[in-house]
Amino acid sequence: MSSILPGAMLGLLGGGQLGRMFTMAAQSMGYRVTVLDPAEGSPAGSIAERHLCADYHDASALHELSTTCAGVTTEFENVPADVLRFLEQHCVVSPPARSVSIAQNRLLEKQFLAANGFSVAPFLAIQNKDDLSTAIDALFFPGILKVSQFGYDGKGQVRIHTPHELSDAFTYLQQQPCVLEQLLPLACEISVIVARGFDDEISLFPVAENQHMHGILDMSIVPARISAGIVQQARKMATDVAIQLDYRGVLCIEFFVLTDGRLFINEIAPRPHNSGHYTLDACITSQFEQQARVLCRLPQGSTALHTPVVMVNLLGDLWQSGEPDWNKVLNNPNAKLHLYGKHEARPGRKMGHFTVLADTVEQALQQAEAIKVSLKNR
């Protein structure tokens, strides 16, 4: 199939900040974008050429996407897989419905990874109350109970210290199908953004070291401060996951690096990822431009890193006393500010991010930490 060239209309399912950054990247390349998202004034919908404010199953909206868009992509993993299957009959779709249907369900994802020989934390399906009555191996305690679908940023999960806490945790999670995972001794968490094209071309972005607060990504440090051996292993595992999943698009693989040096896959996200936002400023090609390139069947761009970089999330907590003083970021010539155009700031809500680029990781980290402190202490 031939490439989709600039001037064409591209479709986007989802209107959040990842979609906003994809829309900006696509527009800068000369494409137009139609966003399908049920929320009015969404970050992506507010800047796209067309915003279809409708449910993802809305027949009229899907008809417009399928007849006016040369290709359709997604910005979050919980897009209904049947919608992607419908669109695949009419236009190019990236990522494929089958890949998304696996990656959007934590249990299916872990079963897929384990069946294909990838290292994951020991896990157990807790689908209903009957699963609570069976004897559960002591190795799962302490553990963490996670809902199989729709969990993100630390939501939909509860830490379990003893078997007696499991029933209460399952009730707290409204008895949704869950996965119980063994807690592992972590040295750090890392992630790899990988892109795979329809021609099987694969590109990998530099490995990011990720620090979380309250289950939400706080900071990504690139290059990750890990051994060359772990970097090589993570890149190889990310490549193999994309191939085994028959993935076409941009994919994030999140890893646990254990204290004994072993590498386990935590989860996969079938889309660009928060930990890849550094690519907007620090790489020749961003993850969002790469998403557009794969969708349009273009050659992939270079993922080379210009300089070391630190990315820091800006959460709604910073707005509790009004608009933050952005001079704290903008006065640093090495910092780049990105705000997502969200109208309501709430604690824990991702409102934007900033990056700091420097000659060394240590310099970038020192400056990023200083900006963080100054924003909080205004």
Side-chain angles (χ1 to χ4, degrees):
M1 186 179 292
S2 59
S3 300
I4 301 170
L5 296 177
M9 181 71 81
L10 305 179
L12 177 66
L13 297 171
Q17 65 264 21
L18 296 173
R20 181 184 180 90
M21 289 178 266
F22 166 80
T23 298
M24 289 176 169
Q27 289 172 336
S28 73
M29 298 169 68
Y31 295 96
R32 296 170 296 136
V33 178
T34 296
V35 169
L36 172 56
D37 187 278
E40 294 184 7
S42 65
S46 64
I47 65 167
E49 279 73 13
R50 184 93 169 88
H51 176 203
L52 303 176
C53 189
D55 183 82
Y56 295 114
H57 284 103
D58 184 89
S60 175
L62 289 177
H63 175 75
E64 180 164 347
L65 274 185
S66 65
T67 56
T68 64
C69 296
V72 175
T73 188
T74 65
E75 72 106 32
F76 73 118
E77 60 263 48
N78 290 319
V79 171
D82 59 335
V83 169
L84 296 176
R85 292 189 191 96
F86 168 79
L87 292 170
E88 284 174 340
Q89 301 173 40
H90 302 278
C91 61
V92 178
V93 173
S94 165
R98 177 184 173 274
S99 301
V100 173
S101 67
I102 294 172
Q104 69 184 194
N105 183 292
R106 198 180 301 274
L107 179 58
L108 294 179
E109 172 188 286
K110 291 198 175 294
Q111 290 172 337
F112 164 82
L113 291 170
N116 284 280
F118 297 104
S119 298
V120 296
F123 67 93
L124 188 66
I126 305 293
Q127 306 262 42
N128 51 54
K129 281 186 174 182
D130 293 338
D131 294 326
L132 299 176
S133 61
T134 59
I136 296 176
D137 196 303
L139 72 84
F140 289 102
F141 305 100
I144 185 163
L145 188 68
K146 302 178 180 179
V147 294
S148 289
Q149 283 194 269
F150 308 118
Y152 68 97
D153 287 345
K155 299 178 177 65
Q157 54 184 258
V158 181
R159 291 203 173 202
I160 309 294
H161 298 92
T162 68
H164 305 291
E165 298 175 4
L166 187 55
S167 179
D168 288 343
F170 189 57
T171 300
Y172 174 77
L173 296 175
Q174 300 179 340
Q175 299 186 9
Q176 300 177 72
C178 291
V179 175
L180 177 62
E181 298 177 21
Q182 179 189 12
L183 277 178
L184 301 173
L186 302 186
C188 67
E189 297 183 52
I190 62 173
S191 61
V192 178
I193 307 292
V194 55
R196 182 167 184 252
F198 289 93
D199 59 356
D200 295 336
E201 178 187 5
I202 288 179
S203 63
L204 294 149
F205 287 89
V207 179
E209 175 187 346
N210 302 317
Q211 298 179 0
H212 296 79
M213 290 185 63
H214 310 299
I216 303 175
L217 180 65
D218 177 52
M219 178 184 294
S220 292
I221 302 165
V222 185
R225 298 169 297 177
I226 54 177
S227 70
I230 294 177
V231 168
Q232 184 177 8
Q233 187 182 355
R235 289 169 61 89
K236 174 67 163 58
M237 289 173 71
T239 299
D240 291 345
V241 168
I243 292 171
Q244 292 296 328
L245 198 57
D246 196 22
Y247 196 83
R248 314 290 172 168
V250 171
L251 177 73
C252 177
I253 318 292
E254 296 181 75
F255 296 91
F256 293 142
V257 181
L258 304 194
T259 51
D260 61 8
R262 288 182 296 162
L263 193 63
F264 280 51
I265 295 179
N266 174 24
E267 60 185 27
I268 57 182
R271 52 172 172 77
H273 193 260
N274 193 173
S275 66
H277 289 352
Y278 74 89
T279 64
L280 285 164
D281 302 313
C283 291
I284 292 176
T285 306
S286 75
Q287 63 173 340
F288 302 102
E289 180 182 337
Q290 205 79 305
Q291 182 183 13
R293 284 175 171 269
V294 170
L295 176 64
C296 295
R297 299 179 184 266
L298 300 172
Q300 294 183 38
S302 168
T303 59
L305 193 70
H306 294 303
T307 69
V309 59
V310 170
M311 187 282 303
V312 177
N313 269 333
L314 297 168
L315 303 184
D317 310 65
L318 287 173
W319 275 253
Q320 287 182 344
S321 300
E323 189 77 12
D325 180 2
W326 298 124
N327 287 317
K328 307 287 189 181
V329 183
L330 299 173
N331 285 343
N332 184 319
N334 297 328
K336 302 286 186 181
L337 178 65
H338 298 262
L339 297 177
Y340 303 152
K342 295 181 179 180
H343 302 299
E344 181 186 357
R346 298 191 300 270
R349 190 183 195 196
K350 294 172 182 173
M351 300 295 292
H353 72 269
F354 70 86
T355 56
V356 176
L357 291 79
D359 293 333
T360 67
V361 164
E362 291 73 21
Q363 291 171 351
L365 188 57
Q366 183 179 29
Q367 293 177 47
E369 290 281 13
I371 292 172
K372 275 183 62 179
V373 171
S374 66
L375 283 171
K376 290 179 180 178
N377 295 338
R378 61 195 174 111

